[in-house]
Coordinates of all heavy atoms in Angstrom, one line a residue:
T1 N 23.8 -25.5 34.5 CA 23.3 -26.4 35.4 C 24.3 -27.2 36.2 O 24.3 -27.4 37.4 CB 22.3 -27.4 34.7 OG1 21.3 -26.7 34.1 CG2 21.7 -28.5 35.6
Y2 N 25.4 -27.6 35.5 CA 26.5 -28.3 36.2 C 27.1 -27.4 37.2 O 27.4 -27.8 38.3 CB 27.5 -28.8 35.2 CG 28.6 -29.6 35.8 CD1 28.3 -31.0 36.1 CD2 29.9 -29.1 36.0 CE1 29.3 -31.7 36.7 CE2 30.8 -29.9 36.6 CZ 30.5 -31.3 36.9 OH 31.5 -32.0 37.5
T3 N 27.4 -26.1 36.9 CA 28.0 -25.2 37.8 C 27.1 -25.0 39.1 O 27.6 -25.0 40.2 CB 28.2 -23.8 37.1 OG1 29.1 -24.1 36.0 CG2 28.9 -22.8 38.1
R4 N 25.8 -24.9 38.9 CA 24.8 -24.8 40.0 C 24.9 -26.0 40.8 O 24.7 -26.0 42.0 CB 23.4 -24.5 39.4 CG 23.3 -23.0 38.9 CD 21.9 -22.7 38.4 NE 20.9 -23.2 39.3 CZ 19.7 -23.9 38.9 NH1 19.6 -24.1 37.6 NH2 18.8 -24.3 39.7
F5 N 25.0 -27.2 40.1 CA 25.0 -28.5 40.9 C 26.2 -28.5 41.8 O 26.1 -28.9 42.9 CB 25.0 -29.6 39.9 CG 25.0 -31.0 40.5 CD1 24.1 -31.4 41.4 CD2 26.1 -31.9 40.2 CE1 24.1 -32.7 42.0 CE2 26.1 -33.1 40.8 CZ 25.1 -33.5 41.7
I6 N 27.3 -28.2 41.3 CA 28.6 -28.1 42.1 C 28.4 -27.2 43.3 O 28.8 -27.5 44.4 CB 29.8 -27.8 41.3 CG1 30.0 -28.8 40.1 CG2 31.0 -27.6 42.1 CD1 30.2 -30.2 40.6
K7 N 27.8 -26.1 43.1 CA 27.6 -25.0 44.2 C 26.6 -25.6 45.2 O 26.9 -25.5 46.4 CB 27.1 -23.8 43.6 CG 26.9 -22.7 44.7 CD 26.7 -21.3 44.1 CE 26.4 -20.2 45.1 NZ 27.3 -20.3 46.3
F8 N 25.6 -26.4 44.7 CA 24.7 -27.0 45.6 C 25.4 -28.1 46.5 O 25.2 -28.2 47.7 CB 23.6 -27.7 44.8 CG 22.7 -28.7 45.6 CD1 21.8 -28.2 46.5 CD2 22.9 -30.0 45.5 CE1 21.0 -29.1 47.2 CE2 22.2 -30.9 46.2 CZ 21.2 -30.5 47.1
L9 N 26.3 -28.9 45.8 CA 27.0 -29.9 46.6 C 27.9 -29.2 47.7 O 28.0 -29.8 48.8 CB 27.9 -30.7 45.7 CG 27.1 -31.7 44.7 CD1 28.1 -32.3 43.8 CD2 26.3 -32.7 45.5
Q10 N 28.5 -28.1 47.4 CA 29.3 -27.4 48.3 C 28.5 -26.7 49.5 O 28.8 -26.9 50.6 CB 30.2 -26.4 47.6 CG 31.2 -26.9 46.7 CD 31.9 -25.9 45.9 OE1 31.3 -24.9 45.5 NE2 33.2 -26.1 45.6
D11 N 27.4 -26.0 49.1 CA 26.7 -25.3 50.0 C 25.7 -26.0 50.8 O 25.5 -25.8 52.0 CB 26.0 -24.1 49.3 CG 26.9 -23.1 48.6 OD1 28.1 -23.2 49.0 OD2 26.5 -22.3 47.8
E12 N 25.0 -26.9 50.2 CA 23.8 -27.6 50.8 C 24.2 -29.0 51.4 O 23.7 -29.4 52.4 CB 22.7 -27.8 49.8 CG 22.1 -26.5 49.4 CD 21.5 -25.6 50.5 OE1 20.9 -26.2 51.4 OE2 21.6 -24.4 50.5
I13 N 25.1 -29.7 50.7 CA 25.5 -31.0 51.1 C 26.8 -30.9 51.9 O 27.2 -31.9 52.6 CB 25.6 -32.0 49.9 CG1 24.3 -32.0 49.1 CG2 26.0 -33.4 50.3 CD1 23.1 -32.5 49.9
N14 N 27.5 -29.8 51.8 CA 28.8 -29.5 52.5 C 29.9 -30.5 52.1 O 30.7 -30.9 53.0 CB 28.5 -29.6 54.1 CG 27.6 -28.5 54.6 OD1 27.7 -27.4 54.1 ND2 26.7 -28.9 55.4
L15 N 30.0 -30.7 50.8 CA 31.1 -31.6 50.3 C 32.3 -30.7 50.1 O 32.2 -29.5 49.6 CB 30.7 -32.2 49.0 CG 29.8 -33.4 49.1 CD1 29.5 -34.0 47.8 CD2 30.4 -34.5 50.0
S16 N 33.5 -31.2 50.4 CA 34.7 -30.4 50.1 C 35.0 -30.4 48.6 O 34.6 -31.3 47.8 CB 35.9 -31.1 50.9 OG 36.2 -32.3 50.3
Q17 N 35.8 -29.5 48.2 CA 36.2 -29.4 46.9 C 37.0 -30.6 46.4 O 36.9 -31.1 45.3 CB 37.1 -28.1 46.6 CG 37.5 -27.9 45.2 CD 36.3 -27.7 44.3 OE1 35.3 -27.1 44.6 NE2 36.4 -28.2 43.1
D18 N 37.8 -31.2 47.3 CA 38.5 -32.4 47.0 C 37.6 -33.6 46.7 O 37.9 -34.4 45.8 CB 39.5 -32.8 48.2 CG 40.6 -31.8 48.3 OD1 41.0 -31.1 47.4 OD2 41.3 -31.7 49.4
S19 N 36.5 -33.7 47.5 CA 35.6 -34.8 47.3 C 34.9 -34.6 46.0 O 34.7 -35.6 45.2 CB 34.5 -34.8 48.4 OG 35.2 -35.1 49.7
I20 N 34.5 -33.4 45.6 CA 33.9 -33.2 44.4 C 34.8 -33.4 43.2 O 34.5 -34.0 42.2 CB 33.3 -31.7 44.3 CG1 32.2 -31.5 45.4 CG2 32.8 -31.3 43.0 CD1 31.8 -30.1 45.6
A21 N 36.1 -33.0 43.3 CA 37.0 -33.2 42.3 C 37.2 -34.7 42.1 O 37.4 -35.1 40.9 CB 38.3 -32.6 42.7
M22 N 37.3 -35.5 43.1 CA 37.5 -37.0 42.9 C 36.3 -37.5 42.2 O 36.5 -38.3 41.3 CB 37.6 -37.6 44.3 CG 38.0 -39.1 44.1 SD 37.5 -40.1 45.5 CE 35.8 -39.7 45.8
A23 N 35.1 -37.2 42.6 CA 33.9 -37.6 41.8 C 33.9 -37.2 40.4 O 33.6 -37.9 39.5 CB 32.7 -37.2 42.6
Q24 N 34.4 -35.9 40.2 CA 34.4 -35.4 38.8 C 35.3 -36.2 37.9 O 35.0 -36.4 36.7 CB 34.8 -33.9 38.8 CG 33.8 -33.0 39.3 CD 34.2 -31.6 39.4 OE1 35.4 -31.3 39.8 NE2 33.4 -30.6 38.9

């Protein structure tokens, strides 16, 4: 579920990997 959530953030919300990493 977490992996799918990260993919959703990248694909549907268009967040960069850097933004996701900071939030993580």
Side-chain angles (χ1 to χ4, degrees):
T1 301
Y2 186 76
T3 302
R4 287 180 45 225
F5 179 60
I6 298 303
K7 183 162 177 48
F8 167 78
L9 291 175
Q10 292 171 326
D11 296 347
E12 299 295 324
I13 305 298
N14 297 317
L15 285 178
S16 70
Q17 185 61 39
D18 290 339
S19 295
I20 294 169
M22 185 204 53
Q24 284 175 321

